[in-house]
Amino acid sequence: MTNIAVTLTVNGVVRRAEVPGRRLLSDCLRHDLGLTGTHVGCEHGVCGCCTVLLDGEPVRSCLTLAATADGHEITTVEGLAGPDGEPSPVQRAFAECHGLQCGFCTPGFLCTVTALLRDNPAPSEEEVLEGLSGNLCRCTGYQNIVRSVRRAAELIAGEDDGGPAGWPSGPVRTSGDAEDTGHAGPAGDAEGAGRAGIAGGATGERAGAEGA
């Protein structure tokens, strides 16, 4: 198979690679360019952990061919911090509000939230939930992730009170009972419900084991 020469501007740096025509952008970033901050989970465009910014817009890099990104600008999680390595407001907020546990899904969330707050600096709770509906987290239950988004919005607006935001005060509404499934999506749409079904198998397995 003949390789294709691609030129990408990744995190502000022009990068070139020779890739097979079917090379995914996620694999190009990780294996050809050595940017392993982009994680690959489901490889079906469902979990969102491979999300990067393509010309500023969130895309699933596991569904995007590297050849189609030729000539475009890519931002990965490695490019979110400032030139001096100072964490971005979104990165700082996730650290302050404990918006991660294992961290595998975090790069995708960081890229998604960066674009969300760029386009909507003061989102409502519903807008935050909708904005996060394409990203799955199997650890946190989403509440601290939502708080992280709110905190990031405060930091971007310059409203730094020295501590994490307290909003929302109550449980985050999910597409299913977070205690029962543990993995429900953060928004109550059909997409989130589908993800709850995908990840909720552990609940059934646990129930079966208890009933055995």
Side-chain angles (χ1 to χ4, degrees):
M1 180 182 295
T2 303
N3 284 350
I4 299 172
V6 296
T7 301
L8 311 172
T9 301
V10 184
N11 302 327
V13 179
V14 176
R15 305 290 299 271
R16 295 179 175 85
E18 298 275 341
V19 299
R22 298 184 65 180
R23 173 84 89 224
L24 296 171
L25 179 58
S26 56
D27 292 335
C28 177
L29 292 170
R30 290 178 56 83
H31 303 301
D32 298 311
L33 302 183
L35 297 171
T36 56
T38 298
H39 293 166
V40 177
C42 68
E43 299 187 83
H44 294 288
V46 174
C47 71
C49 72
C50 70
T51 301
V52 299
L53 303 181
L54 175 64
D55 293 337
E57 297 302 319
V59 299
R60 299 287 197 270
S61 62
C62 78
L63 297 181
T64 305
L65 293 175
T68 66
D70 182 37
H72 293 272
E73 295 189 6
I74 308 293
T75 302
T76 70
V77 67
E78 290 95 339
L80 297 182
D84 58 353
E86 181 73 17
S88 72
V90 175
Q91 291 172 310
R92 176 181 163 186
F94 268 70
E96 287 184 5
C97 299
H98 308 288
L100 66 153
Q101 281 184 237
C102 80
F104 194 82
C105 66
T106 306
F109 271 102
L110 292 175
C111 289
T112 296
V113 174
T114 296
L116 169 66
L117 294 181
R118 178 202 63 208
D119 296 339
N120 185 358
S124 66
E125 180 180 355
E126 289 296 321
E127 289 169 332
V128 171
L129 295 176
E130 177 63 26
L132 297 178
S133 64
N135 293 74
L136 278 178
C137 175
R138 295 177 65 89
C139 299
T140 65
Y142 299 99
Q143 297 197 32
N144 284 349
I145 292 176
V146 174
R147 290 190 177 97
S148 298
V149 178
R150 187 63 172 183
R151 175 60 175 158
E154 292 177 349
L155 293 173
I156 291 170
E159 301 171 2
D160 187 357
D161 60 2
W167 178 95
S169 58
V172 174
R173 178 180 57 78
T174 66
S175 60
D177 186 340
E179 184 176 354
D180 288 341
T181 67
H183 312 300
D189 55 10
E191 187 178 22
R195 294 198 182 92
I198 291 170
T203 303
E205 293 172 4
R206 183 169 63 251
E210 292 172 352

